[in-house]
Amino acid sequence: MNVHDWALIAFTILVQMSIGSLWVLLLAHLFAARKYSVEAADRLSDRALYALIPVIALGFLASLLHLGNPFSAYRAVTNLGTSWLSREILFGVIFAILATVYAFMQWRKIGSVGLRNIIGWLAAIDGLVMVYCMSNVYMLASQPAWNTWATPISFYAATFLLGALAMGAAFVANYTYLQRKEPGCADEQCTLMRETLRWVALAAVILLGVELVVLPIYLVALASGSATGLASVKLMAGSFGWMLALRVLLAFLGAGVFGLFLYQNAMSAGKEKMVGSMAYLAFIVVLAAEVLGRVLFYVSHVRIGI
Amino acid sequence: MDKQLGFYVDIASCTGCKACQVACKDKNNLPVGIRWRKVFQYEGGEWIRQQDGQMIPSSVYAYSVSSACAHCENPVCAQVCPTAAISKRADGIVLIDAEKCIGCRYCSWACPYGAPQFDEDAGVMTKCNMCYDLVDKGENPACVEACPYRAMDFGPISELRQKYGDFADPAPLPDPSITKPSVIYNPNRVTKSSKQADGHMVNLEEL
């Protein structure tokens, strides 16, 4: 592992998490606006939205660290015709700009609610295109461990899993903040937090299921596909076997065990404190699992040839 | 388009002396750690243990493969490069423009020949440029000229193929269908193709 790999791990995880977060945030906002009011929805999601912008910025800063010549990074969008990397950066930059504009408009309440929502959803949809491009960056003919359908599936799964749990934690933090500022004010917000947490937990459990189904199929297909693929599997199961095991264990604990607990207890009155702690814990544990999974992704690829 | 230029390497004559590798390093003044041309020593096969404990070689083999950028017909490095820093000249020579390269190293993930290599000090990728300065003067690349066994040849790949055949994938080189390399080899009697590869590289620490 060197600094370049860490830069890419940070970049892909942070940006995917931001894209997933924006989706969950917009869905929660939509749900809250329908159920109560746009004001209530803004109170639920605005602070989380402001927190998202530095995360996106950090992700892109990290991406610069893997360049030999970071000051010329702007040139990375000059081969859109054939390079998926160019396309990834283009859609990534558009995502960052739209998300920032959306956050700024929400902050200053510029423009109509409809216009703001359109900007937000455009950012979210652009984000999904970016994850698609990002998957294609790795699907190279000479990289059997990456050149499979498992790459886009696991990227999208990471996007929504991290996004869901990050927003779960953010909504808990937001509610805690609101309560401290004006105790007793937040009945409406309390219900919103509970219901969104329930959905977040359900999404986490389903996405964990996807990851757990994809992983063994991927490993078997890779091992039986080519000698180079087998070499990758031997790395993942051999010298990095502990990492793979820990990654699965943490994902199971965070999204499965804690997720199920959240799903069952989110609505129970009087358990807000415990549910909140569990939401934080689930996010941290799943973030660790996904980072380990991404480390594994970068250390276990074996290129065909010499 | 002019005729695609290419290399020919005669594995049957090559002794693995690495004069080509050193001549390349010298001519191009390459920094420590960067070798545009590399000689891969490949070995495999088995010994048979007899009842008295003696070992008899049965299928043991060894040979060397000199390889650099293959100046491919399908240069995946150029396709994936986000800054379009890699281009193919009219004569097929694939070049990296150091002014455009941002050092993202993506080409080194895509190229199955390990041709693009990162220059830490310059912050950009570098690779074999087929000594285009010499080629433009009508001379041969330094590696070809340096071979003491006259095991290398250079010229339009179509002519080389006519003269020497079109075997392009001695193990450990990859399946040529990925990039369609402009390099051909003359196998010796033990040379395995990429599909028959059952040996291993023995000089990994110097590659």
Side-chain angles (χ1 to χ4, degrees), chain A residues 38-47 174 178 182 185-186 189:
Chain A
V38 173
E39 289 69 40
D42 287 352
R43 271 162 70 85
L44 173 73
S45 68
D46 273 1
R47 284 179 196 84
N174 182 56
L178 286 178
E182 339 169 27
C185 80
Q189 289 297 323

Side-chain angles (χ1 to χ4, degrees), chain A residues 251-293:
Chain A
F252 185 77
L253 186 69
V257 178
F258 297 166
L260 220 52
F261 177 89
L262 275 178
Y263 184 72
Q264 283 175 339
N265 293 286
M267 301 308 285
S268 346
K271 285 193 185 170
E272 287 84 13
K273 248 209 157 104
M274 194 168 45
V275 165
S277 313
M278 200 55 89
Y280 289 139
L281 206 57
F283 169 58
I284 292 167
V285 171
V286 167
L287 180 62
E290 290 299 325
V291 169
L292 280 179

Side-chain angles (χ1 to χ4, degrees), chain A residues 4-5 8 65-70 72-80 82-86 89 136-143 146 298 301 303-306, chain B residues 40 67 76 78-85 98-106 108-115 118 120 122-124 172-175 178 201:
Chain A
H4 312 299
D5 285 334
L8 289 176
L65 288 181
H66 99 113
L67 298 180
N69 195 354
S72 303
Y74 66 93
R75 276 204 297 260
V77 291
T78 53
N79 199 13
L80 294 166
T82 62
S83 173
W84 281 105
L85 186 50
S86 272
I89 300 304
N136 273 285
V137 162
Y138 295 93
M139 292 166 79
L140 299 163
S142 50
Q143 300 280 356
W146 292 344
Y298 286 108
H301 71 105
R303 197 190 57 211
I304 288 177
I306 46 181
Chain B
F40 298 86
S67 167
V76 288
Q79 286 159 21
V80 303
C81 174
T83 66
E99 293 291 309
K100 284 189 186 167
C101 176
I102 56 173
C104 73
R105 279 160 265 226
Y106 189 35
S108 71
W109 282 351
C111 170
Y113 295 90
F118 188 64
E120 291 283 349
V124 294
L173 298 193
D175 185 328
I178 304 174
M201 281 185 262

Side-chain angles (χ1 to χ4, degrees), chain A residues 11-27 49 52-53 55-56 60 88 91-96 99 120-135 155-164 166-167:
Chain A
F11 168 67
T12 57
I13 290 277
L14 290 174
V15 172
Q16 285 174 9
M17 183 168 83
S18 308
I19 292 167
S21 295
L22 188 63
W23 271 86
V24 175
L25 186 148
L26 288 167
L27 288 171
L49 179 59
L52 209 56
I53 305 308
V55 177
I56 298 172
F60 277 91
E88 177 197 12
F91 285 102
V93 169
I94 295 174
F95 170 76
W121 281 106
L122 280 178
I125 291 163
D126 173 277
L128 288 195
V129 179
M130 187 207 179
V131 175
Y132 178 76
C133 296
M134 203 186 246
S135 313
F155 275 13
Y156 279 114
T159 299
F160 289 109
L161 186 56
L162 287 171
M167 281 301 105

